[in-house]
Amino acid sequence: MSERTAATENPASRGARAAARRMAATHGAQLEAQVEAALHAQGAGSGARAGQYLDADPVALGSLIVSVASLAWTVYQDLRTRTPSPSRPVIARRVRIELPADGRTTPEERDRIIDIVVEEVTRNAEDGEQA
């Protein structure tokens, strides 16, 4: 494993990687590399913010996963100021509302991706709190 900066080692990046591993069987083995490329571009100061897709067609799904993960982590942290354990359905609902549709995925596929990424990001956040 290469050395990673603190920016790439938060629950959002770990959750994005875990989600890519889960979805690789459906979307192809290259998905993990696409997510790594999107994480690298985000960490390299590409200017991408949570909820903003990176503009690269070959890694569009990887960029979507990273965008969902970044936004889910932001929403999770925001909700933590109000409740110690925000529910995944509430986080997923906010992500669906705040993340613009990309037009490349069906609404059903987008929802499935959001659910998987939110699950992985919150799992990583909760695991980090217990460590």
Side-chain angles (χ1 to χ4, degrees):
M1 180 193 298
S2 65
E3 190 174 319
R4 294 187 175 127
T5 65
T8 62
E9 281 304 308
N10 61 35
S13 58
R14 290 190 307 267
R17 288 183 183 103
R21 283 190 299 274
R22 281 181 61 182
M23 291 187 279
T26 304
H27 296 283
Q30 76 283 358
L31 184 59
E32 291 183 65
Q34 292 174 359
V35 166
E36 285 301 327
L39 286 168
H40 177 74
Q42 186 180 53
S46 67
R49 298 180 317 269
Q52 177 182 14
Y53 300 108
L54 302 174
D55 190 20
D57 260 351
V59 294
L61 185 55
S63 296
L64 172 60
I65 290 169
V66 170
S67 293
V68 170
S70 296
L71 183 55
W73 176 232
T74 300
V75 169
Y76 177 85
Q77 289 179 303
D78 179 51
L79 292 174
R80 285 286 314 265
T81 64
R82 297 180 206 129
T83 181
S85 186
S87 79
R88 289 177 182 159
V90 170
I91 296 167
R93 185 172 37 252
R94 284 231 350 232
V95 169
R96 283 183 181 92
I97 291 168
E98 294 181 27
L99 188 73
D102 68 350
R104 298 178 200 169
T105 58
T106 66
E108 295 79 17
E109 181 67 9
R110 181 176 179 270
D111 286 349
R112 192 177 76 75
I113 291 167
I114 289 170
D115 288 340
I116 290 170
V117 175
V118 166
E119 180 180 334
E120 294 297 340
V121 169
T122 56
R123 178 179 294 134
N124 273 280
E126 291 161 356
D127 289 349
E129 292 167 1
Q130 296 171 6

